[in-house]
Amino acid sequence: MDMEFSPEDLAFQQEVRQFIADNYPAELRGKQDEGEELSKEDFLAWHKILYKKGWIAPAWPVEYGGTGWTPTQRFIWSEETARADCIRLMPFGLSMVGPVIYTFGTPEQKAHFLPRILSGEDWWCQGYSEPGSGSDLASLRTTAVRDGDHYIVNGQKTWTTLAQHADWGFFLVRTDKDAKQQEGISFLLIDMKSPGITVRPIITLGGEHEVNEVWLEDVRVPVANRVYEENKGWTCAKFLLAHERTGIAGVAASKRGIEKVKAIARTELDGDKPLLANPFFKRKVAELEVDLTALEFTELRSLAGANAGKGPGPESSLLKIKGSEIQQRLTELTLEAVGHYGAPYFRGFGEGDNEHPIGPDYAHRAAPTYFNMRKTTIYGGSNEIQRNIIAKMVLGL
């Protein structure tokens, strides 16, 4: 594994930095700095700029609209967008269902859906988890019964992120109740405007409307919207989850987060000295940096494997475990650094409120972010499940 960037990679790095500096929306930067909740239009603003540039899907094959970048260039891209504190692109279309469609979909599905994912015309959500089926996803009970050239879908999904904005969703449904759990599941693409779909908000511990429950009552879905074979949707599901878990690692964003924590700790005082001078706090920061460096090297080994033509394997579980735990520790350190200013009620009450939050700007989102990030060790397959995968697939236990 070569750790040195080539002259071509260094030139690419400078090109990326200049493009972000010249094109990232100033109004979006202002909202981020103020800790304001971002709208669907805010997320799509940066998406559409990258689409116009041709940089919207670095990991996709060129024939479907990808950039043709090397894995090293994709690494540089993630590093530079994190360094510039760019908002993350919504992963549900670009990183999840898009690769499923171009890998398993029909020519008609590819021709219809992929261009709309790239352009941002369709916003996607993920219909996997159910009230009784989270980490044990294969026990899902949402059913799809064949009725001519349609399926009739009934059931409930939960923790559906940003479904209130979604145009389409990809859903796992049970099409054979008598088959073994994984063998009776199909992968459907469902228009979220279909009659019979109800989206209800779930307000998180951080006070945000980020996730939802989705009810499906006699929803008619064309058989043409099934990806891959009937009852073989678990193949698509596993493929998608491997890509999702790799993305959850969030190495570049965590590196940026550590820099923010250190900046806060240089400002906040512990007695008459900066908090960063406190040996106990400084040790926590150093331990986090060491663990993040180890995770970064693991990600780079994964990139080296991608260079050799290998797809995500069991190592995606390791990236997910360590990445999510580091993200949680990072929010804990941030909350510790801002002290009493991080109290969740020391901030404004939302749109139209004329009360200013108490304390420095960097403290306003510390508590909501801390609460929100409790989810990272659960979604994408809980960390306990990931450890089981490593025990079986890597250690052979």
Side-chain angles (χ1 to χ4, degrees), residues 264-278:
I264 292 170
R266 292 188 189 101
T267 302
E268 293 294 316
L269 296 178
D270 177 34
D272 58 353
K273 295 180 180 180
L275 177 61
L276 195 57
N278 180 300

Side-chain angles (χ1 to χ4, degrees), residues 24 28-36 38 79-88 251-268 275-276 281 285 288-289 292 327 329-339 360-366 369:
Y24 195 75
L28 197 54
R29 176 74 66 209
K31 281 191 171 185
Q32 288 176 268
D33 291 343
E34 292 297 321
E36 295 182 28
L38 300 178
E79 287 280 304
E80 293 303 317
T81 51
R83 187 188 67 84
D85 214 15
C86 300
I87 62 169
R88 71 177 188 130
V251 172
S254 290
K255 289 171 69 175
R256 172 64 174 158
I258 286 179
E259 292 306 313
K260 288 182 177 180
V261 168
K262 291 164 74 172
I264 292 170
R266 292 188 189 101
T267 302
E268 293 294 316
L275 177 61
L276 195 57
F281 188 86
V285 174
L288 191 58
E289 287 184 303
L292 184 57
Q327 290 163 26
R329 289 164 58 194
L330 185 55
T331 63
E332 291 166 9
L333 269 184
T334 305
L335 194 58
E336 181 178 345
V338 302
D361 289 345
Y362 55 68
H364 301 166
R365 295 292 304 166
T369 302

